[in-house]
Structure formats: structure tokens, C-alpha cells
């Protein structure tokens, strides 16, 4: 494994903020992971598995623990034939989705614009434009802190809206297998899939602040809206209705493009982003009587 100390986490998150991790490990195979877990045990420190850092806010004080990022063997895509794939957790989700699409397989092609890794996508059951990663997943392989591998059938993964069993299981996702439907079975061609993806990418570009540091949707979609708008479940709607679009705290801003995005307009701290998210929650609760829940993962100690 490759080990460094006091690694600035602002280099590893899409928000471009965050203090140092006490230890930073790059693990390229299962043996590296076992060594990293042993280090955590030896030092009596917590550990965190890092994907692309696209859904993560690290505290300004950093993380007094071990951040582990996967690479090497964990970045491989193995084509098992007939739409079946075995994919490493460090593989960029977009690379896998495009690879499968070019071979004529549907099911996840609309997810190609999501900037995270396969492992992160499984952990959060990432989705977009009517597709979710868990839908075509058949098994997930994890490793525990003793170095033992476990295979979980899809029925055991607890996939739901932005959730999976792995958020509570305490095991690290190392790979997953998928069974994707052939585009031809749906009466479509590769060109049709590419056109659908292009449409999704155009919508994403038009509706999201892709040119500014952010971590995607700040808050999860609601299960039900406010009393007077019970079918309106988009957090961005309620945030915009409170007049907070463009509202700033320090270098953090509620995006003027999409109200459910907080962006780093320059010089933001993690505290700025956290305080702004709390302020948004409070204003929406006060005006509409509903509670917004963060989709972004927090790492480290916040005031």
C-alpha cells in the first residue's frame, strides 16, 4: 500500500475544501486493504473509504483517522459475456456505463454523467433520470476488517432511494456484478442509447452548476411535500420558494442554477458550507414545516 501523512483532503473532494487526513492510504489490492485495516487497528483510529469525493464534505480540522482510496485491481472491468459484468469498486461509474452502452447493453447508460466511483454508487444506490445502479446489480463483494471476503446477493443489499445495506454493514465494497439488458431486447440500438445519454447530459449541463465546485444534490428528495404542495418532493423547489437562491455565507452559495446545490464560489470553508446547509434547513422548516435531510456525507468534526 502507498501511505502518506497529513494529506490535504481539499485535493480529494469536489468541494475543494477540507483539512488534512492524519493518514492517507492508496490500496491497490486486497492485501493492501488488509494492511490498511491493520494500521487502523494498531493506531486505534477510525477509517473512511474514499471514492471520488464527489458526495463528501470534510471538516476544516480534517479527519483524525485513516482515509483509504482504492486503485489498481479495484479499477478493473471484466466482461463475463451476454450482458454480465464484474466491476471493481474504484472504477469510475461513467466508464463502466459507457463501456456497457457501446457493447449494446442498457440499464445504466443514463448514469454515465454521475462523477463517482462504482463503489460509491453502490453504497448510495446512485440514480438519475429514472435509472438506479442497484436495479441491475446481481451481487456485491465486500471485505471486513479481518480481511474476509463476503458476497451479498442483490436481495440482501437493501437498495432503496439513495440507500443500501452497506451504509450500516461495516464492510468495504470491493466489487459488484451486473446483468444488463440488451438494448435490442427493448427495440433500441446503440445509437438510441447514445442519444438518450446525450439528452440526459444536456439536461444536466443546463440545470446543474457543473462549472463550480460542489458535491451534487445537498438534500435528499422528500417522501412527501408540504401540506399545500403534497406532491412536490424536490428540495430545490422549497429552497427556491424561501428566496434563498444565490444566498451566501462566506464562500458558499446556494446555486443560482439549481437551489439544491451548494457551491464553492471561491475561498469557501467546510464551515461555510455546513452553516449554509443548516440555515437552508431551518428556513425551509420554518416556512413549510418540512425537514430536509442531507445527501452529502460528512467526515470529521464540525462545530
Amino acid at each position: 500500500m502507498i501511505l502518506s501523512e497529513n494529506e490535504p483532503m481539499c485535493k480529494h473532494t469536489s468541494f475543494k475544501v477540507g483539512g488534512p487526513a492524519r493518514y492517507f492510504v492508496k490500496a491497490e489490492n486486497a492485501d493492501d486493504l488488509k494492511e490498511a485495516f491493520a494500521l487502523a487497528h494498531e493506531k486505534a483510529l477510525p477509517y473512511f473509504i474514499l471514492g471520488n469525493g464527489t458526495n463528501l464534505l470534510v471538516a476544516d480540522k480534517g479527519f483524525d483517522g485513516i482515509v483509504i482510496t482504492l486503485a489498481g485491481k479495484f479499477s478493473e472491468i471484466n466482461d463475463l459475456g451476454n450482458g454480465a459484468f464484474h466491476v471493481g469498486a474504484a472504477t469510475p461509474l461513467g466508464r463502466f456505463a459507457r463501456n456497457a452502452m457501446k457493447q449494446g447493453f442498457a440499464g445504466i447508460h443514463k448514469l454515465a454523467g454521475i462523477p463517482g466511483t462504482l463503489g460509491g454508487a453502490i453504497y448510495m444506490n446512485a440514480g438519475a433520470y429514472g435509472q438506479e445502479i442497484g436495479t441491475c446489480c446481481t451481487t456485491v463483494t465486500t471485505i471486513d476488517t479481518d480481511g474476509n471476503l463476503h458476497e451479498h446477493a442483490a436481495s440482501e443489499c437493501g437498495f432503496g432511494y439513495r440507500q443500501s445495506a452497506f451504509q450500516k454493514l461495516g464492510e468495504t465494497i470491493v466489487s459488484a456484478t451486473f446483468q444488463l439488458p440488451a438494448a435490442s431486447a427493448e427495440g433500441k440500438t446503440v445509437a438510441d442509447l447514445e442519444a438518450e445519454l446525450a439528452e440526459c447530459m444536456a439536461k444536466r449541463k443546463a440545470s446543474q452548476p457543473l462549472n463550480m465546485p460542489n458535491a451534487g444534490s445537498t438534500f435528499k428528495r422528500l417522501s412527501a411535500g408540504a401540506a399545500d404542495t403534497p406532491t412536490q418532493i424536490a428540495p430545490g423547489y422549497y429552497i427556491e420558494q424561501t428566496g434563498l437562491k444565490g444566498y451566501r455565507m462566506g464562500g458558499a452559495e446556494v446555486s443560482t442554477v439549481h437551489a439544491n446545490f451548494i457551491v464553492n464560489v471561491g475561498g469557501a470553508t467546510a464551515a461555510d458550507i455546513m452553516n449554509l446547509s443548516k440555515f437552508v434547513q431551518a428556513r425551509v422548516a420554518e416556512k413549510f414545516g418540512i425537514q430536509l435531510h442531507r445527501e452529502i456525507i460528512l467526515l470529521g468534526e464540525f462545530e
Side-chain angles (χ1 to χ4, degrees):
M1 70 178 186
I2 302 172
L3 174 67
S4 59
E5 296 185 39
N6 298 316
E7 177 73 10
M9 289 305 294
C10 59
K11 295 166 52 178
H12 301 281
T13 67
S14 57
F15 263 134
K16 306 300 182 186
V17 303
R22 185 169 174 185
Y23 295 100
F24 189 87
V25 171
K26 180 181 286 189
E28 299 189 329
N29 51 52
D31 288 338
D32 283 355
L33 262 180
K34 293 176 186 178
E35 192 175 349
F37 293 148
L39 176 66
H41 180 73
E42 174 192 340
K43 301 288 187 182
L45 291 172
Y47 69 87
F48 178 82
I49 305 297
L50 175 72
N52 273 358
T54 54
N55 192 37
L56 179 67
L57 179 62
V58 181
D60 295 313
K61 294 179 180 178
F63 176 57
D64 188 19
I66 302 173
V67 171
I68 304 170
T69 186
L70 306 184
K73 290 284 187 180
F74 299 117
S75 302
E76 296 177 351
I77 301 175
N78 294 307
D79 187 345
L80 305 178
N82 298 317
F85 295 86
H86 180 262
V87 188
T91 304
L93 177 57
R95 179 157 68 90
F96 171 42
R98 290 177 185 277
N99 180 299
M101 179 182 67
K102 289 179 180 179
Q103 294 186 57
F105 296 103
I108 60 168
H109 58 288
K110 295 180 181 180
L111 308 184
I114 296 176
T117 60
L118 189 280
I122 290 289
Y123 183 86
M124 294 294 293
N125 191 25
Y129 304 107
Q131 294 183 342
E132 289 183 337
I133 193 68
T135 304
C136 297
C137 180
T138 52
T139 65
V140 176
T141 301
T142 61
I143 189 170
D144 62 30
T145 54
D146 292 323
N148 301 309
L149 294 173
H150 303 269
E151 186 172 286
H152 304 271
S155 59
E156 303 170 324
C157 294
F159 289 123
Y161 175 67
R162 299 300 180 268
Q163 66 181 18
S164 75
F166 306 106
Q167 295 171 5
K168 297 180 180 179
L169 193 58
E171 297 172 2
T172 299
I173 298 167
V174 294
S175 65
T177 59
F178 298 85
Q179 183 62 57
L180 304 180
S184 58
E186 302 177 2
K188 297 179 180 179
T189 65
V190 171
D192 292 330
L193 300 185
E194 290 176 337
E196 289 179 3
L197 173 59
E199 181 180 358
C200 293
M201 296 298 286
K203 289 179 180 177
R204 184 181 292 272
K205 185 176 181 180
S207 64
Q208 298 180 11
L210 302 181
N211 63 331
M212 304 187 77
N214 68 82
S217 296
T218 304
F219 302 103
K220 296 179 181 180
R221 187 179 66 199
L222 299 163
S223 56
D228 58 341
T229 54
T231 61
Q232 177 57 262
I233 60 174
Y237 168 83
Y238 294 102
I239 298 169
E240 187 164 354
Q241 291 301 306
T242 61
L244 291 179
K245 222 175 183 184
Y247 189 88
R248 291 190 184 186
M249 283 189 175
E253 178 186 86
V254 176
S255 172
T256 57
V257 178
H258 192 311
N260 195 26
F261 282 63
I262 290 178
V263 297
N264 178 356
V265 295
T269 63
D272 290 339
I273 296 167
M274 173 61 84
N275 291 337
L276 181 55
S277 72
K278 288 180 178 179
F279 182 75
V280 168
Q281 286 176 306
R283 285 288 295 272
V284 170
E286 178 183 3
K287 184 174 178 65
F288 295 102
I290 57 177
Q291 181 63 44
L292 299 179
H293 297 281
R294 288 188 197 89
E295 187 168 317
I296 294 169
I297 296 170
L298 307 179
L299 182 63
E301 295 184 8
F302 290 83
E303 298 295 338

